[in-house]
Amino acid sequence: MTRTTIKFCGESGSGLLTLQQIVTKAIKSLGFYLHADREYPSVIKGGHSMFQIDFGPEPIYSLSNVIDILVAVDSPGLVNYLQDTKEGGVVIHSFDRLERVSNLSKIAEEKKLKMVYVPARALALELAHTDLVANMVLLGFLWKVLGFELDSLEGPVTEQFKSKPKWLEIDLKCIHAGHKLNADVELLTFSPERPTEAPESILVDGNHALALGAIQAGVRAYYAYPMSPASSVLTYMADMANASGMVVKQAEEEITAAQMALGSMYMGTRAFTATSGGGYDLMTETLSLAAITEVPFVVVIAQRPGPATGIPTWTCQSDLNLAIYSAHGEFPRLVLACSDATSCYELIQHAFNYAEIFQIPVILLTEKLIAEAKYLVPPFEHGKIPIERGLVTDPEELAKLLSTDRYKITESGISKRWVPASAAAHYYTNSDEHLENGVLTEEADQCKAMIDKRMRKFDALEAALPEPTVLGVEKGADMSFVGWGGTKNVMRDAILQAKRQGRSINYLHFDYLFPLKTERLKQFFQDNSTICLIEGNFQGQLGELITNKTGLTFHKKFLRYNGRTFHVEEVINFEL
Amino acid sequence: MSQCSQKYSGSGDELVQLGNQKKLMLSYESNEKLTWCSGCGDIGIRSALIRAFALEGLTKQQVALFYDIGCHGSEADKIGAYTFHGLHGRVIAAAAGATLANRNVKIIAEGGDGGMLSEGPGHLIHAVRSNYKMLFILHNNENYGLTTGQPSATSRQGYKMNSAPDGSPLAPLNVAELVFSLKPTFVARAFSGDVKHMTDMIRAGLNHNGFAFLEIMQMCPTYNKATPSDWYWDRMQYVNQLEGYDPSDMEAARKISMDLDEKIAVGLLYRDEASVPFYDRLKSREGMTTSPFEEVTHHDITPFLEELR
């Protein structure tokens, strides 16, 4: 067995988030590789939700849909997730009237599930006079089933409740009580493979990584309006503000957040905002303003399925076209996409460098899947990515500047930029079409010259961008995929698993999507015969972009747009 | 032409100071020709602004000006300084980002009654609440001048205008009343025909430690015939000439600002001397002597990684 998959389910508000914190930290402390994510409805209480953890002795990047152990905190959890458990799998629950729900018993019988009833509620009431801690009893019992030492659980529980000593005592009692329970002897044989050595790593979700990357990049102001799944970027920024010294402001709406970020960037600091598609819609006029004024601008779109409110707490990759085609007028921009925690940390830094060097809007895409999933990754490096600002700061050079240098018509399209008030040569930052010093113009030739100048930056940018990367074998794969964003994770797992089965899968991954690089892409199409597109949207938006630009077409398209992620088994078994 | 019985008398220090500030004042001139209608209130406002900068001894490397879209926005390239001419309704939000990023320059934001009271009143409301440090000048000419005279939120009810051939059906909004409901720290009002008074109000606003709201009732000789210059001169009442007027009394200020028909109060209506701007309320910035624009460098994240290990 290479990975063990456990799904915890229950009603929203039943403490699953706390459970996730504890379980992921405990599994990590045992030295396993892991990946964890949660699914929940857009309500605070009620509705069913779950979190899943996949762990094992080898790197894991995505979730499996074959559940080894289901832990149902309450009956709604059991009702909604029982059918996801694999044949012969283990179900741990505290639902004492299971036989009364004929459908559940039927599923359990058909799938030969090992149903284990744990009197968690009764024990919790006995120990703590509340059933709020029944999940801790289940957790203790799970640890027994897995054959893990209890001390690996005690550490994370202590950390979680260190500010609430009364609850800490109760919770520790409950996990001990759960661990002491007599279990079916057969179950005790369930023991996952243990890793040989613990990797040096951190456990972090994408939004947290993005916030850390921003701090590293020298971002000194963050403005945002809450919207899932971007909201936790604001939470992380605010929680770290006193230590980072950053200005953090929850704006009154997304337009303000974008305008404040632009105002701060104009004044010479680094600032940005993050939102989801709906909030980004409101920001697009600001994107257009950033483009004509050539003030660097960075915005993050954390994707969730639309249109409109759509499926707010689920994942997708459907806003690539939005990022590429949004906002009025024609102007150069960069669209890039994160794929996991490490890339969140790194790409936000690159986003600022490209925005400042080319003086363009940069749109960084992420996804619910990346934003909230927990990744086990090597600790982030300090100072690895240089800060490149493209600013004039040398006093001698500042003294020689002319106002017309600011929007000078140049070969590359890039003109000098200096922080307002830093030189005697003032300039106008004008949303009207303008001359080299920013003075308004409506003269045909002058307007065309300035538009041409800005559009030339597009060519310079395309030349500067890295090509996409190939994962798996370079050429001659049995099955090939092309994709972007969080799909990279499931492809990494699929490549490994297919290799074990003696098959070869490879994958061409785009971090930088627009302008689209085509050299490596064309090579990939020459080197492989059966190339499919894999994307989390209906239209196959990257596929369309590729076909429009290169004429290359795909053998088949694996598209998903129901809010759910791709699972490794589905990729491996994809029918060509 | 004025029937106004009162005349504003300033401190009288202008002449003394101007001897030293002539060069400064001229440095704010731009090579671009003014594109406003003759008699436009924007011309007077621009003069007052330049006078105020010179009298305050502010060089163009000590100010940054932000403009909305509208007739007033034409000033953006008619003044020799760093200017930012943004989008309709958004000027306060952009200026808020600027004032938080750079503590060394004075931020001046200007917008019209169209942009500020119809397209972007949310920005105004929350900027007053946040008390961002800046001088905000509302150019209130009671119509949409640049789009040829449609009614705005401050247009007089019943007055026939472009797109309102039967007269604007709505009662005008008293913006001071709105602002006072938000617990502001500085509210002043002036008239675009009175450059001397405007200069003093701008200077007071430039020295306020917070969001200084300055409403300038502005002539629009082309589209607003309802309230021409004389109409204002006849009704203005300088609050500093009222006996016992106390600009630290918000309730009195709110009351006196209500009348927009008979006696229109102008001057420094309200000022909170103890105002604390948003930036100074941030715990994260306590004790910092630099501005965010001076701090763009690799900030060490390794301490944050400890809890993730």
Side-chain angles (χ1 to χ4, degrees), chain A residues 320-338:
Chain A
L320 175 59
N321 281 349
L322 174 73
I324 295 174
Y325 302 113
S326 49
H328 60 291
E330 296 172 295
F331 55 86
R333 74 181 77 193
L334 169 62
V335 178
L336 67 170
C338 305

Side-chain angles (χ1 to χ4, degrees), chain B residues 176 180 187-189 201 239 245-250 252-254 256-257 265-271:
Chain B
F180 274 119
V187 180
R189 203 188 258 159
M201 292 304 103
V239 292
Y245 189 82
D246 175 10
S248 70
D249 182 345
M250 191 191 290
R254 196 187 60 76
I256 204 168
S257 70
V266 295
L268 178 56
L269 303 179
Y270 176 73
R271 177 166 58 194

Side-chain angles (χ1 to χ4, degrees), chain A residues 30-52:
Chain A
L30 289 164
F32 288 103
Y33 287 93
L34 70 90
H35 182 68
D37 196 10
R38 62 194 180 108
E39 290 176 354
Y40 55 93
S42 185
V43 291
I44 299 300
K45 292 274 181 189
H48 57 87
S49 61
M50 76 87 183
F51 92 84
Q52 181 176 325

